[in-house]
């Protein structure tokens, strides 16, 4: 995007518009570190997962993963969660849960 051209103060023409002072806009917060949860937050999430269990679609994804149907699991996750990126993250999370269950 090109740099904004100074307004002329005239109501029409190439640089039409009232002459105003530019406002300093503060930089917005970045969500790049959204995966870095606090320890308390992680504790609460784990507790809720332990109490509430898995949603039906998550159980179905886990069943597909146990039967080596990874692509189908991702497709189901995409349909339920809206984007392939969220689906991949969910499939990875559930794969880790299956692996953890096998270890114990």
């Amino acid at each position: 995007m090109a740099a904004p051209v100074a307004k002329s103060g005239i109501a029409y023409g190439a640089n039409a518009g009232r002459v105003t002072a530019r406002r300093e806009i503060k930089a917005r917060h970045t969500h790049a570190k959204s995966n870095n949860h606090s320890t308390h937050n992680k504790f609460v999430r784990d507790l809720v997962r332990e109490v509430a269990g898995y949603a039906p679609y998550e159980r179905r994804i886990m069943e597909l993963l146990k039967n080596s149907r990874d692509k189908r699991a991702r497709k189901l996750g995409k349909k339920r969660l809206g984007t392939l990126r969220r689906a991949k993250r969910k499939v990875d999370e559930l794969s880790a849960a299956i692996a953890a269950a096998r270890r114990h």
Side-chain angles (χ1 to χ4, degrees):
M1 187 171 145
V5 181
K7 301 290 185 182
S8 64
I10 300 173
Y12 53 87
N15 303 329
R18 184 174 178 85
V19 178
T20 57
R22 298 291 295 174
R23 291 175 56 214
E24 285 297 319
I25 300 172
K26 287 191 286 186
R28 290 193 174 175
H29 243 330
T30 180
H31 295 291
K33 295 181 181 178
S34 62
N35 284 342
N36 297 343
H37 300 298
S38 66
T39 53
H40 178 71
N41 195 338
K42 185 178 184 326
F43 169 74
V44 171
R45 283 175 189 240
D46 290 342
L47 186 66
V48 169
R49 174 64 80 193
E50 188 178 322
V51 172
Y54 292 96
Y57 84 93
E58 291 175 328
R59 288 197 296 267
R60 186 168 166 208
I61 289 175
M62 290 170 90
E63 195 61 40
L64 288 168
L65 290 171
K66 287 176 188 172
N67 295 330
S68 302
R69 303 284 305 273
D70 296 17
K71 185 173 182 179
R72 174 61 62 186
R74 278 194 301 275
K75 283 179 77 171
L76 175 64
K78 183 177 184 291
K79 184 162 174 56
R80 293 289 187 260
L81 297 171
T83 67
L84 187 61
R85 175 180 252 172
R86 289 177 186 167
K88 286 178 181 177
R89 188 178 295 156
K90 179 63 76 172
V91 167
D92 289 343
E93 177 189 325
L94 295 175
S95 297
I98 292 170
R102 284 193 183 131
R103 280 194 296 266
H104 290 290

